[in-house]
């Protein structure tokens, strides 16, 4: 196995220290930063995303893999910037107003980061106006809303209405998800996309950006 396969494999098993060491070694050996990112880190995270979607791995495995991904990516950042490599796109993410659940939202963020998307995380209890302001400020391609309560799910519609009715409405896609959210609800409120889990959310985001 080459060093990039090793990076992918150790990332999948959440070995953050080894992943960092291997990324540093690959850089020292002159491997292109873009290749370390695409064929090592992102490849590993993509495999974890797919396994998570298929219930072959669960939340703890995703969290440790994401931590390893972040460690490796941090090390790679200066080299990527020097190489002129840009993020694949920008997404704003948050849990809607009145809702404090953030475990699923964080997983979605990590999976999307794992695909090379720059994430602006607004945290929890985020108003529709805050989603719109952040999307405008960061020039985002996607706004991602998470809701875990039937009582806060309606807030997603406020975000969709505000963002879609704004000056950036035709440039930004709104993606929605969370346990009570369904495709039928997505269709009903006119959001661009519903994703049932973090892996599917990352895949859908990549489709938008393509
Ligand atoms: Co809350 N809670 N909770 N809770 N809580 C639920 C959601 C509940 C189903 C429990 C129950 O009654 N069985 C219930 C909701 C009922 C309903 O509305 N139908 C509930 C309730 C009622 C409440 C309170 C009102 C309880 C109270 O105070 N009386 C209160 C509300 C507080 C508030 O937000 N205002 C409350 C509080 C809390 C805690 C703070 C204690 C804690 C949250 C801690 C935290 O998030 N930091 C908590 C927890 C942990 C849960 C449960 C147990 C677990 C949620 C979770 O993290 N799941 C939950 C019961 C359950 O689900 N078994 C429950 C794991 C996570 C990985 O899954 O978030 O679904 P999930 O995310 C998935 C997908 O949904 C999807 O991808 C993720 C990964 O695959 N996804 C997206 C999520 N966001 C997405 C966005 C996307 C795409 C996909 O695109 C943008």
């Amino acid at each position: 196995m080459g060093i990039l396969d090793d990076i992918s494999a150790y990332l999948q098993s959440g070995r953050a220290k080894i992943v960092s060491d291997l990324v540093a070694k690959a850089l020292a050996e002159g491997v292109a930063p873009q290749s370390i990112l695409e064929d090592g880190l992102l490849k590993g995270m993509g495999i974890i995303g797919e396994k998570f979607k298929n219930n072959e791995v669960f939340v703890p495995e995703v969290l440790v893999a994401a931590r390893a991904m972040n460690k490796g990516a941090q090390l790679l950042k200066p080299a990527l910037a020097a190489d002129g490599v840009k993020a694949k796109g920008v997404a704003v993410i948050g849990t809607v107003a009145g809702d404090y659940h953030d475990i699923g939202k964080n997983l979605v963020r990590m999976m999307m980061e794992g695909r090379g998307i720059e994430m602006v995380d607004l945290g929890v209890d985020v108003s529709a106006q805050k989603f719109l302001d952040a999307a405008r400020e960061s020039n985002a391609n996607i706004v991602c809303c998470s809701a875990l309560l039937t009582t806060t799910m309606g807030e997603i519609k406020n975000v969709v209405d505000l963002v879609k009715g704004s000056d950036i409405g035709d440039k930004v896609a709104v993606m929605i998800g969370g346990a009570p959210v369904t495709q039928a609800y997505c269709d009903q409120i006119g959001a661009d996309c519903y994703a049932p889990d973090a892996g599917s959310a990352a895949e859908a985001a990549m489709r938008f950006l393509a």
Side-chain angles (χ1 to χ4, degrees), residues 52 59 93 98-105 107-108 143-152 175-180 193-199 201:
F52 183 56
V59 173
I93 191 165
D99 199 324
Y100 291 88
H101 295 84
D102 68 356
I103 298 168
K105 183 265 297 170
L107 281 175
V108 173
V143 168
C144 305
C145 301
S146 178
L148 259 287
L149 300 168
T150 43
T151 48
T152 58
M175 188 194 305
I176 69 173
C193 165
Y194 158 72
D197 55 65

Side-chain angles (χ1 to χ4, degrees), residues 11 29 35 38 40 47-48 51 56 63 69 84 91 98 112 124 135 139 149 173 186 204 208:
L11 181 145
E29 284 173 3
S35 180
E38 300 274 350
I47 294 171
I48 282 287
K51 286 187 172 169
E56 290 167 42
L63 292 177
M69 163 85 207
M112 288 174 67
V124 296
N139 214 0
L149 300 168
C186 174
F208 276 121

Side-chain angles (χ1 to χ4, degrees), residues 8-96:
S8 165
Y10 281 112
L11 181 145
Q12 290 171 56
S13 51
R15 308 290 294 273
K17 170 82 173 72
I18 301 181
V19 169
S20 297
D21 291 348
L22 286 172
V23 168
K25 188 166 176 246
L27 282 172
E29 284 173 3
V31 182
Q34 170 92 48
S35 180
I36 301 175
L37 180 70
E38 300 274 350
D39 308 321
L41 298 173
L42 296 183
K43 186 175 165 199
M45 206 58 205
I47 294 171
I48 282 287
E50 195 56 29
K51 286 187 172 169
F52 183 56
K53 207 173 84 181
N54 298 331
N55 290 323
E56 290 167 42
V57 298
F58 300 96
V59 173
E61 286 99 324
V62 177
L63 292 177
V64 289
R67 197 187 50 162
M69 163 85 207
N70 287 335
K71 285 259 179 204
Q74 259 169 31
L75 215 59
L76 215 49
K77 239 179 195 167
L80 286 170
D83 246 18
V85 175
K86 284 203 175 125
K88 292 195 170 123
V90 181
V92 164
I93 191 165
T95 305
V96 295

